[in-house]
Amino acid sequence: MKLTGKLDYLEMPATGGTLDRLKAFYSAAFAWSFTDYGPTYSAFAEGLDGGFQADAAEAPAKPLPVLYSDDLEETLGAVESAGGTIIKPIFPFPGGRRFHFVDPAGNELAVWGQ
């Protein structure tokens, strides 16, 4: 159910790579599926929660999409195999562990797990 004032959607740029390459990456690394709306837009429906980081030393310069994984090592391998670049290897943080990567369009994302 959609509620006024609630986060509902996340758009990320695909200008740093081709849309087909980006779709192939997320399909291979995370089994995402897409709905195309013309030649330059493709939608996904893969869940969304969020948070704010007020520590300037820790805060990302841009919004940071964070995905979840039951097996971080396996997911890190899938990201690399699909063509992603690991920029922060797996590290602990309060609540679990995570790693950061850059997708083929240059977007930084993170993956967290226990």
XYZ file of all heavy atoms in Angstrom:
862
model
N 0.834 -1.165 0.000
C 0.000 0.000 0.000
C 0.893 1.247 0.000
O 1.851 1.345 0.745
C -0.904 0.008 1.234
C -1.658 1.295 1.311
S -2.781 1.661 2.686
C -2.833 0.325 3.744
N 0.588 2.190 -0.835
C 1.329 3.435 -0.905
C 0.784 4.407 0.127
O -0.409 4.563 0.267
C 1.231 4.032 -2.304
C 1.858 3.127 -3.348
C 1.896 3.804 -4.692
C 2.482 2.913 -5.742
N 3.873 2.598 -5.546
N 1.709 5.035 0.888
C 1.323 5.974 1.928
C 2.003 7.313 1.701
O 3.200 7.359 1.360
C 1.711 5.435 3.308
C 1.053 4.124 3.727
C 1.663 3.615 5.020
C -0.441 4.304 3.878
N 1.281 8.398 1.905
C 1.829 9.733 1.748
C 3.036 9.926 2.657
O 2.999 9.585 3.834
C 0.759 10.794 2.091
O -0.336 10.615 1.199
C 1.302 12.206 1.956
N 4.113 10.447 2.095
C 5.310 10.754 2.859
C 6.264 9.598 3.054
O 7.311 9.762 3.672
N 5.952 8.407 2.543
C 6.811 7.235 2.709
C 7.689 7.044 1.476
O 7.242 7.267 0.347
C 5.989 5.969 2.947
C 5.097 6.051 4.156
C 5.897 6.240 5.427
C 4.984 6.332 6.633
N 5.690 6.701 7.843
N 8.945 6.637 1.699
C 9.816 6.324 0.568
C 9.160 5.246 -0.279
O 8.678 4.247 0.245
C 11.176 5.834 1.058
C 12.044 6.880 1.741
C 13.261 6.217 2.364
C 12.467 7.950 0.769
N 9.168 5.459 -1.568
C 8.438 4.554 -2.437
C 9.239 4.105 -3.650
O 8.904 3.105 -4.257
C 7.147 5.251 -2.898
C 6.260 4.358 -3.723
O 5.850 3.301 -3.210
O 5.996 4.703 -4.887
N 10.298 4.813 -4.005
C 10.956 4.537 -5.271
C 12.390 5.034 -5.219
O 12.681 6.002 -4.505
C 10.203 5.262 -6.394
C 10.373 4.675 -7.768
C 9.658 3.554 -8.153
C 11.240 5.245 -8.672
C 9.804 3.023 -9.426
C 11.390 4.717 -9.946
C 10.671 3.611 -10.315
O 10.812 3.085 -11.573
N 13.283 4.392 -5.911
C 14.677 4.803 -5.998
C 15.077 4.809 -7.462
O 15.012 3.776 -8.126
C 15.567 3.820 -5.221
C 17.070 3.995 -5.389
C 17.529 5.307 -4.761
C 17.798 2.821 -4.768
N 15.456 5.971 -7.971
C 15.968 6.053 -9.333
C 17.474 6.229 -9.282
O 17.983 7.022 -8.497
C 15.362 7.241 -10.091
C 13.968 6.991 -10.551
C 13.461 8.036 -11.523
O 13.978 9.162 -11.538
O 12.535 7.707 -12.258
N 18.163 5.482 -10.132
C 19.611 5.594 -10.227
C 19.970 5.890 -11.670
O 19.304 5.409 -12.588
C 20.280 4.301 -9.761
C 20.043 3.997 -8.304
S 21.033 2.616 -7.675
C 20.545 1.261 -8.731
N 21.025 6.654 -11.879
C 21.418 6.944 -13.251
C 21.986 5.720 -13.951
O 22.568 4.847 -13.320
C 22.481 8.037 -13.097
C 23.009 7.860 -11.721
C 21.877 7.311 -10.896
N 21.794 5.694 -15.249
C 22.379 4.644 -16.083
C 23.210 5.280 -17.184
O 23.437 4.670 -18.224
C 21.281 3.764 -16.674
N 23.658 6.494 -16.948
C 24.372 7.233 -17.988
C 25.841 6.840 -18.109
O 26.469 7.136 -19.106
C 24.276 8.751 -17.728
O 24.766 9.020 -16.407
C 22.837 9.232 -17.834
N 26.391 6.169 -17.091
C 27.790 5.758 -17.146
C 27.997 4.444 -17.877
O 29.114 3.981 -18.028
N 26.935 3.791 -18.317
C 27.002 2.525 -19.039
C 25.717 2.353 -19.822
O 24.794 3.139 -19.679
N 25.654 1.330 -20.645
C 24.423 1.133 -21.404
C 23.360 0.510 -20.506
O 23.674 -0.219 -19.559
C 24.643 0.219 -22.620
O 24.908 -1.114 -22.155
C 25.772 0.712 -23.498
N 22.113 0.791 -20.803
C 21.007 0.249 -20.029
C 21.009 -1.281 -20.095
O 20.814 -1.950 -19.078
C 19.677 0.818 -20.544
C 18.437 0.502 -19.732
C 18.583 0.958 -18.285
C 17.220 1.164 -20.368
N 21.266 -1.844 -21.260
C 21.303 -3.306 -21.385
C 22.412 -3.910 -20.523
O 22.219 -4.949 -19.891
C 21.493 -3.723 -22.847
C 20.239 -3.524 -23.669
O 19.140 -3.429 -23.091
O 20.357 -3.459 -24.908
N 23.569 -3.264 -20.476
C 24.683 -3.770 -19.665
C 24.325 -3.703 -18.179
O 24.627 -4.621 -17.415
C 25.943 -2.967 -19.959
C 27.151 -3.487 -19.229
C 28.417 -2.795 -19.697
N 29.513 -3.197 -18.832
C 30.529 -2.438 -18.518
N 30.625 -1.224 -19.015
N 31.475 -2.870 -17.720
N 23.678 -2.628 -17.765
C 23.279 -2.480 -16.369
C 22.237 -3.523 -15.982
O 22.323 -4.140 -14.924
C 22.720 -1.063 -16.161
C 23.013 -0.388 -14.843
C 24.487 -0.412 -14.491
C 22.505 1.028 -14.863
N 21.254 -3.738 -16.838
C 20.237 -4.761 -16.574
C 20.872 -6.139 -16.491
O 20.536 -6.933 -15.608
C 19.153 -4.714 -17.656
C 18.257 -3.506 -17.527
C 17.360 -3.254 -18.724
C 16.767 -4.464 -19.364
N 15.918 -4.149 -20.521
N 21.806 -6.432 -17.378
C 22.485 -7.732 -17.366
C 23.269 -7.911 -16.067
O 23.268 -8.993 -15.473
C 23.411 -7.854 -18.572
N 23.929 -6.843 -15.606
C 24.688 -6.908 -14.365
C 23.777 -7.247 -13.183
O 24.029 -8.188 -12.433
C 25.412 -5.581 -14.107
C 25.998 -5.500 -12.724
C 27.182 -6.150 -12.424
C 25.345 -4.796 -11.722
C 27.723 -6.094 -11.142
C 25.880 -4.723 -10.438
C 27.069 -5.385 -10.150
N 22.691 -6.488 -12.980
C 21.813 -6.713 -11.834
C 21.053 -8.040 -11.943
O 20.774 -8.674 -10.928
C 20.854 -5.530 -11.637
C 21.567 -4.353 -11.022
C 22.006 -3.292 -11.791
C 21.856 -4.338 -9.659
C 22.693 -2.230 -11.229
C 22.545 -3.285 -9.087
C 22.955 -2.235 -9.875
O 23.648 -1.189 -9.315
N 20.771 -8.476 -13.150
C 20.151 -9.797 -13.330
C 21.112 -10.896 -12.918
O 20.737 -11.830 -12.209
C 19.723 -9.997 -14.780
O 18.664 -9.143 -15.117
N 22.377 -10.776 -13.346
C 23.371 -11.808 -13.040
C 23.789 -11.792 -11.572
O 23.920 -12.840 -10.945
C 24.603 -11.623 -13.935
N 24.002 -10.610 -11.006
C 24.505 -10.524 -9.637
C 23.426 -10.750 -8.589
O 23.698 -11.339 -7.545
C 25.170 -9.165 -9.399
N 22.188 -10.284 -8.843
C 21.150 -10.307 -7.814
C 19.813 -10.886 -8.263
O 18.840 -10.826 -7.522
C 20.908 -8.885 -7.290
C 22.148 -8.255 -6.719
C 22.798 -7.251 -7.401
C 22.681 -8.688 -5.513
C 23.952 -6.666 -6.891
C 23.826 -8.116 -4.989
C 24.460 -7.106 -5.683
N 19.745 -11.413 -9.486
C 18.515 -12.010 -10.028
C 17.361 -11.009 -10.111
O 16.205 -11.370 -9.954
C 18.103 -13.251 -9.229
N 17.678 -9.732 -10.356
C 16.636 -8.726 -10.531
C 15.943 -8.933 -11.877
O 16.539 -9.426 -12.834
C 17.222 -7.322 -10.511
C 17.622 -6.817 -9.164
C 17.787 -7.553 -8.014
C 17.946 -5.476 -8.828
N 18.182 -6.730 -6.985
C 18.286 -5.454 -7.456
C 17.984 -4.290 -9.544
C 18.653 -4.285 -6.806
C 18.353 -3.133 -8.886
C 18.672 -3.134 -7.532
N 14.686 -8.516 -11.958
C 13.962 -8.496 -13.231
C 13.538 -7.061 -13.508
O 13.465 -6.236 -12.588
C 12.763 -9.435 -13.189
O 11.891 -9.072 -12.152
N 13.253 -6.774 -14.750
C 13.005 -5.399 -15.176
C 11.776 -5.307 -16.068
O 11.417 -6.255 -16.754
C 14.215 -4.866 -15.960
C 15.458 -4.795 -15.114
C 16.308 -5.882 -15.016
C 15.755 -3.653 -14.403
C 17.440 -5.831 -14.224
C 16.886 -3.585 -13.609
C 17.733 -4.671 -13.512
N 11.166 -4.125 -16.061
C 10.089 -3.777 -16.985
C 10.554 -2.549 -17.746
O 10.851 -1.510 -17.147
C 8.784 -3.452 -16.226
O 8.413 -4.591 -15.447
C 7.670 -3.098 -17.191
N 10.658 -2.681 -19.062
C 11.117 -1.565 -19.890
C 9.969 -0.618 -20.209
O 8.852 -1.052 -20.517
C 11.713 -2.086 -21.196
C 13.013 -2.835 -20.976
O 13.698 -2.560 -19.973
O 13.350 -3.689 -21.813
N 10.275 0.668 -20.136
C 9.348 1.731 -20.523
C 10.060 2.580 -21.562
O 10.590 3.639 -21.250
C 8.936 2.568 -19.308
C 8.125 1.789 -18.308
C 8.718 1.205 -17.200
C 6.757 1.602 -18.491
C 7.973 0.474 -16.289
C 6.001 0.870 -17.586
C 6.616 0.312 -16.491
O 5.873 -0.415 -15.605
N 10.095 2.090 -22.771
C 10.824 2.771 -23.831
C 12.291 2.374 -23.830
O 12.734 1.551 -23.034
N 13.074 2.980 -24.733
C 14.472 2.577 -24.897
C 15.432 3.108 -23.833
O 16.562 2.639 -23.748
C 14.835 3.140 -26.274
C 13.947 4.324 -26.430
C 12.659 3.966 -25.736
N 14.992 4.066 -22.995
C 15.929 4.673 -22.057
C 15.528 4.543 -20.591
O 16.149 5.148 -19.727
C 16.114 6.176 -22.366
O 14.861 6.846 -22.203
C 16.650 6.383 -23.771
N 14.489 3.738 -20.297
C 14.074 3.598 -18.899
C 13.640 2.172 -18.636
O 12.863 1.602 -19.396
C 12.911 4.547 -18.566
C 12.730 4.736 -17.076
C 13.362 5.779 -16.417
C 11.962 3.862 -16.322
C 13.226 5.947 -15.056
C 11.813 4.019 -14.956
C 12.447 5.075 -14.329
O 12.316 5.236 -12.983
N 14.151 1.625 -17.530
C 13.778 0.285 -17.129
C 13.547 0.283 -15.622
O 14.386 0.777 -14.859
C 14.890 -0.706 -17.502
O 14.451 -2.026 -17.351
N 12.414 -0.247 -15.187
C 12.038 -0.229 -13.776
C 12.327 -1.578 -13.124
O 12.323 -2.614 -13.774
C 10.554 0.100 -13.636
N 12.562 -1.529 -11.803
C 12.734 -2.730 -11.002
C 11.893 -2.594 -9.751
O 11.555 -1.497 -9.328
C 14.207 -2.976 -10.646
C 14.880 -1.817 -9.959
C 14.793 -1.655 -8.582
C 15.594 -0.882 -10.687
C 15.406 -0.591 -7.945
C 16.213 0.187 -10.060
C 16.115 0.335 -8.691
N 11.537 -3.713 -9.136
C 10.772 -3.725 -7.887
C 11.454 -4.719 -6.956
O 11.153 -5.898 -6.978
C 9.321 -4.114 -8.138
N 12.397 -4.225 -6.141
C 13.227 -5.117 -5.336
C 13.300 -4.751 -3.853
O 14.221 -5.156 -3.166
C 14.644 -5.180 -5.938
C 14.700 -5.634 -7.389
C 14.181 -7.047 -7.614
O 14.138 -7.861 -6.672
O 13.799 -7.341 -8.759
N 12.353 -3.967 -3.325
C 12.306 -3.648 -1.885
C 13.033 -2.369 -1.529
O 13.939 -1.951 -2.236
N 12.637 -1.706 -0.414
C 13.289 -0.457 -0.013
C 13.033 -0.123 1.450
O 11.897 -0.113 1.898
C 12.775 0.697 -0.881
C 13.330 2.090 -0.603
C 14.808 2.159 -0.947
C 12.561 3.126 -1.407
N 14.092 0.102 2.225
C 14.089 0.717 3.548
C 15.171 1.793 3.468
O 15.792 1.950 2.424
C 14.434 -0.291 4.656
C 13.251 -1.171 5.052
O 12.105 -0.706 4.906
O 13.481 -2.297 5.504
N 15.463 2.514 4.535
C 16.489 3.547 4.442
C 16.956 4.070 5.783
O 16.449 3.676 6.828
N 17.938 4.964 5.761
C 18.477 5.607 6.944
C 19.345 6.785 6.550
O 19.711 6.923 5.389
N 19.650 7.641 7.519
C 20.502 8.801 7.292
C 21.771 8.669 8.109
O 21.721 8.247 9.260
C 19.777 10.093 7.702
C 18.627 10.441 6.826
C 17.329 10.185 7.239
C 18.827 11.024 5.584
C 16.252 10.501 6.436
C 17.760 11.342 4.777
C 16.472 11.081 5.197
N 22.920 9.070 7.550
C 24.211 9.055 8.239
C 24.616 10.502 8.507
O 24.860 11.266 7.577
C 25.263 8.352 7.385
C 26.685 8.407 7.903
C 26.851 7.837 9.286
O 26.741 8.553 10.268
N 27.092 6.535 9.368
N 24.677 10.919 9.780
C 25.022 12.289 10.139
C 26.508 12.481 10.408
O 26.965 13.607 10.543
C 24.218 12.717 11.369
N 27.285 11.411 10.506
C 28.726 11.499 10.717
C 29.388 11.840 9.386
O 29.387 11.032 8.457
C 29.250 10.171 11.262
C 30.740 10.195 11.553
O 31.465 11.070 11.034
O 31.186 9.311 12.307
N 29.958 13.054 9.290
C 30.548 13.509 8.031
C 31.641 12.572 7.522
O 31.824 12.419 6.317
C 31.099 14.921 8.190
N 32.369 11.924 8.436
C 33.433 11.004 8.031
C 32.884 9.714 7.441
O 33.568 9.028 6.688
C 34.333 10.689 9.226
N 31.656 9.367 7.771
C 31.042 8.123 7.310
C 29.999 8.330 6.213
O 29.656 7.401 5.496
C 30.378 7.405 8.486
C 31.342 6.958 9.560
C 32.222 5.812 9.110
O 31.746 4.946 8.360
O 33.394 5.793 9.510
N 29.473 9.531 6.094
C 28.362 9.790 5.168
C 28.807 9.693 3.712
O 29.853 10.224 3.346
C 27.770 11.164 5.436
N 28.024 9.015 2.882
C 28.347 8.973 1.453
C 28.078 10.328 0.811
O 27.243 11.099 1.287
C 27.394 7.902 0.906
C 26.255 7.888 1.867
C 26.813 8.258 3.204
N 28.802 10.636 -0.255
C 28.603 11.896 -0.973
C 27.264 11.911 -1.705
O 26.686 12.973 -1.924
C 29.742 12.111 -1.965
N 26.778 10.748 -2.086
C 25.504 10.599 -2.800
C 24.680 9.565 -2.054
O 25.218 8.811 -1.244
C 25.753 10.094 -4.225
C 26.623 10.971 -5.059
C 26.881 10.302 -6.400
C 27.917 11.075 -7.192
N 28.268 10.376 -8.426
N 23.388 9.488 -2.336
C 22.620 8.396 -1.723
C 23.280 7.050 -2.021
O 23.817 6.832 -3.107
C 21.253 8.507 -2.407
C 21.144 9.949 -2.778
C 22.549 10.343 -3.168
N 23.266 6.167 -1.036
C 23.914 4.861 -1.166
C 22.859 3.768 -1.067
O 22.385 3.470 0.027
C 24.959 4.673 -0.064
C 25.678 3.327 -0.049
C 26.586 3.180 -1.273
C 26.466 3.169 1.235
N 22.477 3.171 -2.180
C 21.574 2.025 -2.101
C 22.299 0.865 -1.420
O 23.451 0.578 -1.724
C 21.277 1.676 -3.568
C 21.630 2.918 -4.334
C 22.756 3.549 -3.568
N 21.634 0.220 -0.473
C 22.213 -0.899 0.258
C 21.309 -2.119 0.083
O 20.122 -2.066 0.396
C 22.372 -0.572 1.765
C 23.002 -1.755 2.495
C 23.199 0.684 1.964
N 21.867 -3.184 -0.442
C 21.148 -4.431 -0.673
C 21.454 -5.393 0.467
O 22.437 -5.219 1.183
C 21.582 -5.041 -2.005
C 21.555 -4.096 -3.206
C 22.135 -4.783 -4.427
C 20.156 -3.601 -3.467
N 20.660 -6.437 0.619
C 20.874 -7.448 1.649
C 21.330 -8.750 1.012
O 20.967 -9.070 -0.116
C 19.591 -7.700 2.444
C 19.770 -8.784 3.477
C 20.425 -8.509 4.672
C 19.336 -10.075 3.242
C 20.636 -9.499 5.616
C 19.534 -11.073 4.186
C 20.184 -10.781 5.359
O 20.396 -11.769 6.283
N 22.133 -9.535 1.744
C 22.554 -10.855 1.292
C 22.587 -11.821 2.470
O 23.044 -11.472 3.558
C 23.953 -10.784 0.681
O 24.448 -12.082 0.405
N 22.132 -13.056 2.241
C 22.256 -14.121 3.227
C 23.692 -14.648 3.287
O 24.077 -15.276 4.263
C 21.324 -15.293 2.884
C 19.874 -14.975 3.167
O 19.589 -14.209 4.112
O 19.012 -15.500 2.432
N 24.469 -14.427 2.222
C 25.842 -14.928 2.150
C 26.702 -13.875 1.452
O 26.754 -13.818 0.220
C 25.866 -16.252 1.380
C 27.232 -16.907 1.347
O 28.262 -16.193 1.401
O 27.282 -18.142 1.249
N 27.365 -13.028 2.250
C 28.137 -11.923 1.678
C 29.244 -12.384 0.740
O 29.455 -11.787 -0.313
C 28.751 -11.067 2.791
C 27.860 -10.042 3.447
C 28.637 -9.267 4.508
C 27.269 -9.086 2.437
N 29.956 -13.432 1.126
C 31.058 -13.902 0.278
C 30.539 -14.366 -1.082
O 31.136 -14.058 -2.123
C 31.833 -15.019 0.983
C 32.696 -14.535 2.138
C 31.933 -14.213 3.433
O 30.738 -14.570 3.552
O 32.526 -13.591 4.322
N 29.440 -15.090 -1.078
C 28.855 -15.552 -2.343
C 28.394 -14.367 -3.188
O 28.619 -14.321 -4.396
C 27.684 -16.491 -2.066
C 27.035 -17.046 -3.321
C 25.888 -17.986 -3.004
O 26.070 -18.877 -2.158
O 24.819 -17.813 -3.611
N 27.748 -13.399 -2.552
C 27.259 -12.236 -3.281
C 28.407 -11.392 -3.807
O 28.354 -10.903 -4.944
C 26.330 -11.389 -2.390
O 25.237 -12.212 -1.969
C 25.787 -10.177 -3.129
N 29.477 -11.234 -3.030
C 30.643 -10.507 -3.508
C 31.191 -11.170 -4.770
O 31.498 -10.497 -5.753
C 31.717 -10.446 -2.418
C 32.929 -9.572 -2.740
C 33.409 -8.844 -1.493
C 34.056 -10.392 -3.316
N 31.263 -12.487 -4.766
C 31.714 -13.214 -5.954
C 30.796 -13.009 -7.139
O 31.258 -12.841 -8.274
N 29.485 -12.991 -6.888
C 28.516 -12.781 -7.975
C 28.645 -11.375 -8.553
O 28.562 -11.177 -9.772
C 27.088 -13.016 -7.473
N 28.868 -10.392 -7.686
C 29.054 -9.010 -8.142
C 30.296 -8.915 -9.030
O 30.256 -8.321 -10.112
C 29.153 -8.044 -6.938
C 29.680 -6.680 -7.355
C 27.802 -7.906 -6.249
N 31.399 -9.503 -8.591
C 32.623 -9.477 -9.395
C 32.435 -10.219 -10.717
O 32.830 -9.720 -11.770
C 33.782 -10.081 -8.615
C 34.268 -9.207 -7.484
C 35.419 -9.817 -6.721
O 35.384 -11.022 -6.402
O 36.370 -9.058 -6.438
N 31.796 -11.389 -10.667
C 31.584 -12.175 -11.889
C 30.697 -11.459 -12.886
O 30.860 -11.616 -14.097
C 30.963 -13.532 -11.550
O 31.865 -14.320 -10.825
N 29.756 -10.661 -12.373
C 28.835 -9.937 -13.249
C 29.451 -8.654 -13.805
O 28.850 -8.005 -14.653
C 27.548 -9.609 -12.489
N 30.633 -8.281 -13.336
C 31.304 -7.094 -13.867
C 31.355 -5.909 -12.925
O 31.772 -4.823 -13.321
N 30.957 -6.084 -11.663
C 31.051 -5.007 -10.684
C 32.464 -4.891 -10.150
O 33.251 -5.837 -10.212
N 32.794 -3.713 -9.620
C 34.110 -3.462 -9.048
C 33.971 -3.263 -7.544
O 33.253 -2.363 -7.105
C 34.735 -2.197 -9.675
O 34.814 -2.372 -11.089
C 36.125 -1.926 -9.100
N 34.636 -4.095 -6.773
C 34.600 -3.987 -5.315
C 35.490 -2.815 -4.912
O 36.674 -2.788 -5.247
C 35.086 -5.288 -4.636
C 34.293 -6.504 -5.133
C 35.027 -5.147 -3.115
C 32.796 -6.417 -4.947
N 34.910 -1.838 -4.189
C 35.706 -0.679 -3.771
C 35.956 -0.672 -2.262
O 36.856 0.025 -1.803
C 35.088 0.653 -4.237
C 33.681 0.829 -3.702
C 35.130 0.759 -5.752
C 33.094 2.208 -3.953
N 35.154 -1.414 -1.489
C 35.398 -1.622 -0.057
C 35.112 -3.089 0.215
O 33.967 -3.519 0.160
C 34.480 -0.757 0.809
C 34.782 0.720 0.775
C 33.879 1.480 1.742
C 34.108 2.968 1.640
N 33.215 3.719 2.546
N 36.149 -3.890 0.476
C 35.922 -5.306 0.774
C 35.049 -5.465 2.024
O 34.808 -4.493 2.751
C 37.319 -5.852 1.027
C 38.265 -4.841 0.504
C 37.552 -3.524 0.526
N 34.630 -6.663 2.291
C 33.752 -6.941 3.436
C 34.385 -6.407 4.722
O 35.557 -6.653 4.998
C 33.476 -8.445 3.563
C 32.681 -8.933 2.338
C 32.720 -8.758 4.850
C 32.500 -10.435 2.249
N 33.591 -5.641 5.479
C 34.050 -5.080 6.754
C 32.894 -5.105 7.755
O 31.723 -5.092 7.358
C 34.584 -3.649 6.571
C 33.546 -2.640 6.116
C 32.835 -1.872 7.038
C 33.300 -2.463 4.763
C 31.894 -0.947 6.621
C 32.351 -1.534 4.334
C 31.643 -0.775 5.265
N 33.215 -5.147 9.063
C 32.160 -5.144 10.074
C 31.636 -3.733 10.317
O 32.366 -2.754 10.146
C 32.859 -5.674 11.328
C 34.283 -5.282 11.142
C 34.544 -5.330 9.651
N 30.373 -3.643 10.707
C 29.765 -2.390 11.147
C 28.719 -2.768 12.190
O 28.342 -3.933 12.279
C 29.166 -1.597 9.971
C 27.891 -2.175 9.423
C 26.658 -1.637 9.787
C 27.911 -3.254 8.555
C 25.475 -2.174 9.294
C 26.731 -3.788 8.053
C 25.513 -3.247 8.426
N 28.249 -1.822 12.998
C 27.238 -2.172 14.000
C 25.999 -2.770 13.333
O 25.382 -2.137 12.488
C 26.916 -0.837 14.674
C 28.144 -0.017 14.466
C 28.673 -0.431 13.114
N 25.710 -4.006 13.621
C 24.557 -4.668 13.022
C 24.900 -5.739 12.018
O 24.028 -6.460 11.559
N 26.170 -5.860 11.626
C 26.520 -6.889 10.657
C 27.833 -6.615 9.949
O 28.761 -6.050 10.514
N 27.886 -7.007 8.691
C 29.057 -6.810 7.833
C 28.549 -6.327 6.481
O 27.398 -6.565 6.126
C 29.820 -8.121 7.633
C 30.299 -8.758 8.906
C 31.042 -10.065 8.665
N 30.298 -10.987 7.823
C 30.827 -11.736 6.832
N 32.103 -11.678 6.563
N 30.067 -12.556 6.131
N 29.415 -5.666 5.717
C 29.014 -5.239 4.375
C 30.219 -4.992 3.494
O 31.351 -4.953 3.965
C 28.121 -4.011 4.423
C 28.802 -2.707 4.745
C 27.748 -1.633 4.901
N 28.277 -0.303 4.720
C 27.597 0.794 4.978
N 26.357 0.720 5.414
N 28.124 1.978 4.788
N 29.948 -4.831 2.191
C 30.958 -4.403 1.235
C 30.321 -3.396 0.285
O 29.102 -3.304 0.195
C 31.576 -5.589 0.466
C 30.647 -6.299 -0.483
C 30.530 -5.885 -1.803
C 29.909 -7.399 -0.069
C 29.686 -6.553 -2.692
C 29.072 -8.071 -0.941
C 28.963 -7.648 -2.265
N 31.165 -2.604 -0.388
C 30.691 -1.619 -1.358
C 31.236 -1.994 -2.728
O 32.351 -2.508 -2.845
C 31.181 -0.218 -1.002
C 30.577 0.335 0.240
N 30.372 1.679 0.419
C 30.133 -0.248 1.387
C 29.839 1.902 1.612
N 29.691 0.737 2.214
N 30.455 -1.685 -3.761
C 30.888 -1.931 -5.125
C 30.381 -0.828 -6.036
O 29.512 -0.044 -5.669
C 30.413 -3.306 -5.629
C 28.926 -3.411 -5.847
C 28.364 -3.164 -7.098
C 28.077 -3.790 -4.820
C 26.998 -3.264 -7.300
C 26.720 -3.903 -5.005
C 26.176 -3.634 -6.259
N 30.960 -0.778 -7.231
C 30.516 0.140 -8.278
C 29.982 -0.708 -9.412
O 30.624 -1.676 -9.844
C 31.679 1.045 -8.753
C 31.250 1.905 -9.929
C 32.176 1.906 -7.610
N 28.773 -0.349 -9.887
C 28.173 -1.083 -10.997
C 28.733 -0.584 -12.328
O 29.528 0.370 -12.351
C 26.639 -1.004 -10.924
C 26.052 0.361 -11.259
O 26.751 1.234 -11.829
O 24.861 0.564 -10.948
N 28.371 -1.207 -13.453
C 28.935 -0.805 -14.740
C 28.620 0.634 -15.161
O 29.279 1.169 -16.043
C 28.311 -1.806 -15.729
C 28.064 -3.017 -14.902
C 27.627 -2.468 -13.565
N 27.634 1.298 -14.523
C 27.332 2.697 -14.844
C 28.045 3.663 -13.907
O 27.892 4.871 -14.026
C 25.827 2.938 -14.786
N 28.813 3.143 -12.942
C 29.538 4.000 -12.023
C 28.793 4.323 -10.737
O 29.262 5.136 -9.943
N 27.638 3.695 -10.490
C 26.885 3.906 -9.249
C 27.496 3.083 -8.125
O 27.790 1.910 -8.301
C 25.428 3.472 -9.422
C 24.709 4.284 -10.456
O 24.653 5.492 -10.387
N 24.152 3.598 -11.452
N 27.674 3.707 -6.947
C 28.157 2.969 -5.785
C 26.968 2.405 -5.016
O 26.002 3.104 -4.743
C 28.973 3.861 -4.853
C 29.517 3.118 -3.643
C 30.352 3.966 -2.714
O 30.719 5.104 -3.092
O 30.642 3.497 -1.607
N 27.058 1.126 -4.678
C 26.074 0.445 -3.839
C 26.809 -0.334 -2.772
O 28.015 -0.546 -2.868
C 25.218 -0.528 -4.671
C 24.233 0.114 -5.639
C 24.881 0.356 -6.984
C 23.030 -0.784 -5.815
N 26.070 -0.780 -1.768
C 26.635 -1.634 -0.729
C 25.755 -2.862 -0.597
O 24.578 -2.857 -0.988
C 26.713 -0.892 0.601
N 26.323 -3.912 -0.036
C 25.577 -5.139 0.282
C 25.906 -5.474 1.728
O 27.073 -5.481 2.113
C 25.965 -6.317 -0.621
C 25.175 -7.563 -0.250
C 25.759 -5.964 -2.097
N 24.864 -5.734 2.547
C 25.096 -6.067 3.944
C 24.480 -7.412 4.284
O 23.612 -7.916 3.577
C 24.555 -4.973 4.862
C 23.095 -5.101 5.204
C 22.040 -4.683 4.439
C 22.537 -5.695 6.374
N 20.860 -4.974 5.075
C 21.133 -5.595 6.268
C 23.093 -6.295 7.499
C 20.276 -6.089 7.239
C 22.221 -6.782 8.475
C 20.841 -6.662 8.326
N 24.983 -7.986 5.359
C 24.466 -9.245 5.882
C 24.995 -9.446 7.292
O 25.707 -8.601 7.836
N 24.674 -10.581 7.882
C 25.107 -10.872 9.254
C 26.530 -11.372 9.281
O 27.089 -11.829 8.397
C 24.189 -11.918 9.883
C 22.756 -11.480 9.955
C 22.529 -10.219 10.800
O 23.177 -10.006 11.815
N 21.638 -9.382 10.355
